[in-house]
Amino acid sequence: MATAADQLMAPASLATIAPVSNGQQSLLATTAAVAMAARNGQEQQELVENQKSTSPKPSPMPNLKLNKMGSVSSKEKRVYKIVLTGGPCGGKTTGQSRLCTFFENLGWKVFRVPETATVLLSGGVKFSDLTEKEDPPTPTTFVYKDLPFAAPEHSLIDLTASCPRCLAKAASKPNGSEAYKFQENLIRTMVQIENTYFELGNSSTRNCLIICDRGVMDASAYISKDKWEKMMAGNKWNPVEMRDNRYNQILHLVSAANGAEDFYSTEKRKRHYQDHACRSEGVDLARELDYKSAAAWVGHPYFDVIDNSTNFEAKMNRLIESVCQKVGIDIGDRLQATSRKLKYLVAMLPPDSEFPPFQDFDVVHHYLQSGGPKVQARLRKRGQKNHWSYIHTQRRPNVHGQARIEVKTQLTHRDYMNLLAQRDDAHFTIYKKRRCFLINNQYFQLDIYKEPGHPRCKGLVLLETYSSLTGDALKNCMPKFLNIVKEVTGDPDYSMFNLSLKEDWSTTKKFCRTATHAKGTANGVANTPLLLNGQ
């Protein structure tokens, strides 16, 4: 039986919608989407009970073609969907513009999906109209914590980062049912608007990058957990579809209020608050919003935190580089990236109570047959509560035959099952529990190996992260509640490829003892220590 998420995520008909130029919002598409969501919300809920459908995956290759060895063809058109999120004054507007320019110069088509809250609030929605009668704030009474000036009525001007918080506050009031329903319809509208752009991307004849200004899960950051779960259950939504399968990559741009306070200018906020409501956020409040925004996306398989450890120009370069690497574009040292993948051996798993908020996933890896020692391929199945996402990973040399490129492609269940026929019998299937959490502005994945598997994997716990930090700065951001034995980055004894080998390491000819530095990998960032035969 199809879910409401399946129905909502089906692309809208574009019979009457024409493509628009980059950098412009499609008024026609937006109007059609809002109208459709309002008119068909209940019909979609009823229709889903009687129709069988499959929610679209954000696969950059909708019509997957495989070569003789089960590898994904690299000549297929790409449609890559990203979400830019983050706290106030993190650089989302500039980052969106830079990404657009960069990818257009590469010959890609770029669509920029407008923020749904901006679309709806610009139509005159006032949160005070959705709740009990009360005196609205005025320019003399409405003052944020740490804000050195008074601001106009918040519900009239806040069109970006903080409006979901106001809506959540309104929804929590005794008679906040209208606000709650508006929040629900906002998400439905967001899905419909996004689907319009997704369909435009699928119909484009060129490679296409779709940049979403915030995504579905951002709404969960500003509403209580019980109300969010009630909304999810009422619409038959699930986080694997709404978070993991809908978008290819999430990029969280950390607020300047967290690590770049000198650039969180009060004068600039005062001068521009009418254009960008984030400029009216106090520093402490901005930090809180930034953390909530990041926590909403914990669990996505490709979630990158772009912090303020460098100057702003380098921050924008790291943003572009992160997208290029996930897509599989070799940019060499063009953006001077320094981030790298880090791996650590953990002695034991502490009690759940010692962790910050986390998401657990069941993960299954299968290595596939490859055409030679320089090309590797594997499948990954990852899910929660029997909802799954599927990834094909191919590692190959770059055009110079030296550093390695790693390309990940999201698959349908059908493609995944077809590729399983190419399993390499020299490897065990790897079973893990993957725990994802955010701490100290750093995103971590903790892999807990499970049986069945080779005895060498019994009790194995590995921690992974990506970071450009070194020395004490890196040490200070590591989770203190974990007993980290040592760093094992690039150590062949902890390569997943070697760990999955059925033969004994002392006798097998397949054991990989050579490590190299990946350049422009789609699995992380440049200068990442990776193994020749997979990791």
Side-chain angles (χ1 to χ4, degrees), residues 40-60:
N40 294 339
Q42 183 61 39
E43 286 85 343
Q44 287 179 334
Q45 185 70 21
E46 295 172 355
L47 181 62
V48 78
E49 301 296 333
N50 301 311
Q51 286 190 334
K52 179 79 174 180
S53 64
T54 302
S55 66
K57 306 294 187 283
S59 171

Side-chain angles (χ1 to χ4, degrees), residues 126-239:
K126 297 171 62 176
F127 297 122
S128 58
D129 293 341
L130 302 177
T131 57
E132 59 190 353
K133 297 294 183 181
E134 58 183 23
D135 293 331
T138 67
T140 57
T141 62
F142 186 76
V143 182
Y144 270 114
K145 181 181 179 182
D146 297 331
L147 192 63
F149 59 92
E153 183 179 348
H154 187 54
S155 62
L156 290 177
I157 67 165
D158 192 351
L159 306 181
T160 56
S162 55
C163 61
R165 189 186 68 260
C166 295
L167 178 56
K169 183 178 179 181
S172 66
K173 291 185 176 182
N175 63 335
S177 58
E178 288 184 56
Y180 176 89
K181 190 64 178 177
F182 180 80
Q183 178 81 298
E184 187 174 40
N185 285 332
L186 186 149
I187 296 174
R188 286 179 170 274
T189 304
M190 177 186 295
V191 168
Q192 193 62 56
I193 292 174
E194 288 178 353
N195 284 346
T196 299
Y197 283 90
F198 293 171
E199 187 65 25
L200 286 171
N202 290 334
S203 62
S204 173
T205 57
R206 288 188 282 164
N207 288 334
C208 186
L209 176 69
I210 301 176
I211 307 172
C212 298
D213 188 348
R214 301 189 181 276
V216 172
M217 295 303 293
D218 277 292
S220 69
Y222 306 101
I223 191 171
S224 64
K225 183 178 179 180
D226 59 332
K227 287 184 178 295
W228 176 251
E229 291 179 349
K230 175 184 176 183
M231 189 180 295
M232 293 280 282
N235 289 277
K236 295 184 173 63
W237 296 335
N238 71 81

